[in-house]
Amino acid sequence: MQPKARITHLPVYQPGKPVDEVKRELGLTKVTKLASNENPFGCSPKAKEAIVAIAEQANIYPDGASVLLKDAVAALYGVDPEQIVFGAGSDEVILMIARAFLSPGDETIMADRTFPQYRHNAEVEGATVVEVPLKDGTHDLEAMLAAVTDRTKIVWVCNPNNPTSTIVTADEVESFLERIPSSVMVVLDEAYVEYVVDPRFPNALELIKRYPNVVTLRTFSKAYGLAGLRIGYGIGRAELIRSINQVREPFNTTSFAQAAALAAVQDQAFIASCREANAAGIVYLREQFDRLGLKSFPAHGNFVLVDCARDAKTVYEELLKKGVIVRGGHTASIGFPTAIRVTVGSAEQNKEFVEALEAVLQETAVAAE
Ligand SMILES: Cc1ncc(COP(=O)(O)O)c(C=O)c1O
């Protein structure tokens, strides 16, 4: 049996290595995972309570329209519930956007390097991917604009960008939106928005009011700490969201995810405390990288891409032996051969990582002599 020709070259997604696998393979008892930009502080205790309470209803299908959660998110952001669509993670919202809007022959523009799922889903739909190199690790919006043709359907802007953690500013995004044809959808993927403290960061919700072609993606997987439950969402004009809903599976988010997300939205104090700890973690890591003579891009999400100035695979493997899992830049999904992407952990985890990294740098320097 032959699959569709256009999917045969696609890579199977390689997630960050699970903690239990590393413990087993390397005979370690303690392992710190800083590989998937998860929240080191877990999730709101209120979300945990909601998960336990909803267990009673495990035999009942979830609310396919996620009405309660939609109302809560709409109230949080001051948008209409019809402007929101939920997915099994924002991954699924990316899939649905590609499914609803991309056809063979269409072009779609994204940065090189950025989150790999834009490319993946565009290729599944047979669209032509146009990649525009990052400039100093940041989206080059001018070059992306110059790449627009009358075949362009979607431009993906990952802000902060995974894997570099850099941002494009409100001024840059606005100037871009002023000039891009309104027939081109602009997806602002803001998976890490809750972590951003830079006042220059755009307000996507205001942009949606002014530009009918803007959709923003957000998730409960990062600051909200609910990655295991798989729930994320898109916000845009109601007409656009309706098209995305037309390709959505009937019960694509679980009742557990909806209940936990609803409770999590109502605990903004938890989000604020995670944002604060993350900002302090970035400052700490930056200081340590400076001390070690390593360059990193200015980080705005809950992760940092740091150039170790040596083969990333070696650094990744040596860190693994010391019980620290990061994401190596040698992998296709990251694409920075001498860098590693590390999630900002708790203060204790950050310290463990820095100690392990320092030791690895010393060992690999000796090996190179
Ligand atoms: C930029 C970006 N967008 C989307 C996602 C998908 O997240 P989820 O499907 O868990 O919501 C991720 C996850 O790492 C991401 O980094």
Side-chain angles (χ1 to χ4, degrees):
M1 206 179 287
Q2 287 296 317
K4 286 185 201 167
R6 66 177 186 241
I7 69 151
T8 52
H9 72 289
L10 292 177
V12 174
Y13 185 76
Q14 298 297 326
K17 237 175 161 31
V19 168
D20 287 341
E21 192 179 314
V22 175
K23 279 187 182 163
R24 202 177 50 240
E25 278 179 8
L26 297 173
L28 297 168
T29 47
K30 183 165 189 279
V31 168
T32 304
K33 184 179 175 213
L34 299 172
S36 301
N37 304 341
E38 292 148 338
N39 187 336
F41 306 106
C43 65
S44 160
K46 294 183 176 133
K48 286 184 206 165
E49 285 165 22
I51 295 166
V52 174
I54 201 80
E56 284 298 326
Q57 293 175 38
N59 59 321
I60 309 291
Y61 277 103
D63 168 14
S66 313
V67 171
L68 294 179
L69 178 61
K70 204 178 278 184
D71 286 350
V73 174
L76 180 69
Y77 293 129
V79 299
D80 196 279
E82 284 180 10
Q83 293 184 259
I84 305 172
V85 56
F86 289 96
S90 47
D91 273 344
E92 198 199 13
V93 187
I94 296 168
L95 177 152
M96 293 190 286
I97 291 174
R99 188 187 264 193
F101 290 94
L102 294 178
S103 302
D106 290 340
E107 291 176 6
T108 181
I109 299 173
M110 61 198 69
D112 173 19
R113 303 297 177 162
T114 191
F115 189 56
Q117 292 310 101
Y118 316 139
R119 170 185 262 285
H120 180 90
N121 286 291
E123 290 190 351
V124 170
E125 301 305 329
T128 302
V129 172
V130 178
E131 289 184 321
V132 175
L134 295 172
K135 208 164 127 189
D136 298 327
T138 307
H139 278 66
D140 185 349
L141 291 184
E142 291 301 317
M144 292 176 93
L145 192 62
V148 172
T149 71
D150 51 15
R151 293 186 154 195
T152 307
K153 274 290 191 66
I154 305 178
V155 181
W156 307 85
V157 179
C158 186
N159 201 26
N161 186 41
N162 184 359
T164 52
S165 210
T166 54
I167 58 165
V168 278
T169 65
D171 288 350
E172 288 163 343
V173 174
E174 257 189 77
S175 150
F176 172 79
L177 291 174
E178 277 300 317
R179 289 174 291 154
I180 196 161
S182 58
S183 55
V184 178
M185 184 193 295
V186 177
V187 178
L188 301 176
D189 182 348
E190 300 189 332
Y192 302 94
V193 64
E194 293 86 4
Y195 286 115
V196 178
V197 293
D198 192 318
R200 296 170 307 162
F201 193 72
N203 180 340
L205 303 165
E206 285 302 317
L207 295 174
I208 286 165
K209 286 187 197 149
R210 288 168 44 206
Y211 302 95
N213 49 335
V214 173
V215 172
T216 183
L217 304 185
R218 298 185 172 190
T219 181
F220 286 98
S221 298
K222 305 299 176 183
Y224 285 95
L226 297 174
L229 293 182
R230 312 303 302 125
I231 186 156
Y233 53 103
I235 306 179
R237 287 280 176 98
E239 311 85 81
L240 267 179
I241 297 300
R242 185 179 140 72
S243 304
I244 302 171
N245 265 315
Q246 284 176 307
V247 301
R248 187 173 59 75
E249 299 294 329
F251 303 107
N252 63 325
T253 61
T254 67
S255 40
F256 289 81
Q258 290 177 27
L262 178 61
V265 161
Q266 285 151 0
D267 189 358
Q268 289 299 317
F270 175 79
I271 299 298
S273 74
C274 293
R275 176 168 44 240
E276 209 174 297
N278 187 70
I282 289 177
V283 170
Y284 168 76
L285 288 174
R286 191 65 190 243
E287 282 165 7
Q288 296 302 311
F289 295 150
D290 285 348
R291 179 176 67 78
L292 298 170
L294 304 178
K295 290 205 175 77
S296 60
F297 289 117
H300 298 267
N302 68 338
F303 57 99
V304 185
L305 190 77
V306 56
D307 189 353
C308 298
R310 49 193 37 81
D311 175 43
K313 186 162 183 279
T314 309
V315 177
Y316 163 78
E317 283 169 359
E318 294 305 314
L319 280 173
L320 210 56
K321 287 183 199 161
K322 297 186 190 307
V324 180
I325 319 174
V326 298
R327 202 60 85 88
H330 59 288
T331 52
S333 63
I334 304 281
F336 282 86
T338 59
I340 56 170
R341 193 196 68 190
V342 60
T343 303
V344 180
S346 62
E348 188 192 338
Q349 289 174 325
N350 294 337
K351 196 158 169 284
E352 279 165 15
F353 159 70
V354 168
E355 279 168 15
L357 179 65
E358 188 164 8
V360 167
L361 294 177
Q362 277 165 10
E363 287 159 20
T364 51
V366 172
E369 275 167 12

